[in-house]
Amino acid sequence: MYLEIAMLAYFVVLFLTIRDIRIFKRTGYISYRKGALKGLAASSLILIGAISIEAKPEIGLLIVLFGLTVNLKGTREPVFTSAGTLERFLGKTDYVKSSRLRKDSEKTRLSRK
């Protein structure tokens, strides 16, 4: 039962991370990028906790809980104005990157090369 709880937490965090990545790609808001990075760190911790459940279930669930705590995102920009429930669930946003945001991301990509 403990392993099922840990794996459910793992898949939920992965889903939210993929959703944050999709919203960041569509809007360019940095808070969603930071949320995706936090989600990757949290999913790694949760996976470590799920693996360690076999040895010590209490310690494994404690690591899973710590991973879920790491996944807290904070305040975000509003990106859904007229989207329905399914679109919000899947991360379909109403905003698309502005030309200024695209230019800034192209400049940073060129400066890294």
Side-chain angles (χ1 to χ4, degrees):
M1 182 68 180
Y2 293 136
L3 185 61
E4 288 86 2
I5 293 170
M7 293 313 294
L8 178 67
Y10 177 71
F11 287 121
V12 166
V13 169
L14 275 182
F15 174 77
L16 292 174
T17 302
I18 292 170
R19 181 178 175 259
D20 284 344
I21 291 169
R22 182 176 183 203
I23 293 172
F24 170 70
K25 287 291 183 185
R26 291 177 64 99
T27 62
Y29 290 142
I30 299 300
S31 64
Y32 287 96
R33 180 176 183 263
K34 290 180 182 178
L37 291 174
K38 279 185 178 183
L40 289 175
S43 65
S44 300
L45 274 175
I46 292 171
L47 189 60
I48 290 170
I51 292 170
S52 65
I53 280 179
E54 296 297 322
K56 287 264 193 184
E58 293 84 12
I59 300 298
L61 283 180
L62 185 64
I63 295 171
V64 168
L65 181 65
F66 182 66
L68 288 173
T69 306
V70 168
N71 195 40
L72 295 177
K73 307 285 198 231
T75 59
R76 306 275 185 97
E77 294 86 5
V79 292
F80 304 110
T81 55
S82 63
T85 305
L86 184 63
E87 286 91 12
R88 288 176 187 242
F89 182 72
L90 296 175
K92 184 177 178 185
T93 60
D94 297 332
Y95 297 121
V96 180
K97 280 186 181 179
S98 68
S99 60
R100 181 176 177 203
L101 287 174
R102 282 191 208 125
K103 289 177 185 174
D104 290 341
S105 64
E106 288 174 6
K107 286 179 186 176
T108 57
R109 187 171 18 107
L110 292 175
S111 66
R112 289 184 184 177
K113 290 184 179 182

